[in-house]
Amino acid sequence: PTRTSLTGYTISVRGDKNAGNWLWGIQANTESPEFETNDMGRLQSGDDLELSGDINYRMTDPGRVFRSWRLGVFGETRWNYDWDRGETRLELFGNAQFANYLEADLELYHTLRSQSDDLTRGGPLMGTGRNAGVELRVNSNFAAPTQWSIEGEYATGEYGALLRSLEAELQVRPSPKWSLSINPEWFRYNDPRQYVTTVEGGAPETFGSRYIFATVDQSVLSVQFRFNYTFTPDLTLETYAEPFTASGHYSAYGELPAPGRRDLRLYGTDGTTITESGDEFLDVTDSRYGGSFQLPREDFNLFSLRTNAVLRWEWRRGSTLYLVWQQNRSASCDFFAAPADCPTGRPPGSLSKPGFLGDVFGIPGDNFLAIKVSYWIPLR
């Protein structure tokens, strides 16, 4: 508590072979436990030793079916400075560009069991489970007036982890004057190890604290719209709109029983009970270690609509007028929110559906108007 600064280091070394048919790369990174840069940037983590590498074969001679293709493997693993092994990931990846410039990317991955030193937010180590998944992306010729892409991911893991996502994009440019793009995205993730909070009165094995987790069923649904129009080379209009909704439903609360364990001591078992206390809290009692405590209900829904319109006029060379309009509508719905914050009365934690995107247009919001003028003063 008396420290006023941290002095650490980071080192990164990488080697690659980038010519020929066989390519490879290997990289080593480290951030010491006292490496700290948050005063001048963003540091995701320190206390890391990381090693990664890949090898792949590529074919670049165009044929009747493919213009090029690539197939390879990738692996990475990490430790902390106490040599606790963190996430280890193995991948098989491939890429192919067909003769008509259609392109496809495929990735198969597997993550091994490991130890995490940050899941408990500063508490003891916690084990993580295996998971495996597949990602696929297909896109059209990016040089064509009409472009499209579609990308999906599916992954499963231990203890009920399940990930599904789908994203698509369509861009249309029928003439040099205007273009339109639509980018819908759907995401669904069942995470059985979502950190909730830390409370006192836990087991001696966890140093008298309870590190509490839950299963959260998350969903996200959004659509991005872009429309650009060029009236003249000096006068353009750019517009953007994104209705967005997200939800999270929490269940299966429990605590870490001992450092390094992967399972949870689920509430409602092993001498514990969990009951609802009104609409906002859950009451937990523990006859094994004694005591009782409350947990806030974490279910939520988020709604937002962001829109922008920018009119740009360069009335003389180097001198430009910008007229900007922005609208921001947003609402957060949870068990502690006022009923008016939940559009159409949907209860917190309701799974995001396409109909929810229509609700965002009825949410109160703020409008902003900005004018910016730049004037070029020639100096000779």
Side-chain angles (χ1 to χ4, degrees), residues 200-203 210 265 271-272 284-293:
E200 299 299 322
R210 302 178 188 269
R265 183 188 179 213
T272 66
V284 180
T285 61
D286 185 353
S287 61
R288 183 176 176 184
Y289 297 107
S292 62
F293 54 93

Side-chain angles (χ1 to χ4, degrees), residues 129-141:
R130 305 185 194 93
N131 65 70
V134 56
E135 292 184 58
L136 176 64
R137 175 184 171 88
V138 181
N139 61 262
S140 65
N141 181 3

Side-chain angles (χ1 to χ4, degrees), residues 173-200:
R173 186 184 292 272
S175 77
K177 278 186 171 291
W178 67 277
S179 65
L180 172 69
S181 70
I182 303 174
N183 180 202
E185 181 177 0
W186 170 76
F187 172 89
R188 182 85 182 271
Y189 181 36
N190 195 73
D191 182 1
R193 295 296 182 268
Q194 172 63 51
Y195 174 81
V196 176
T197 189
T198 300
V199 299
E200 299 299 322

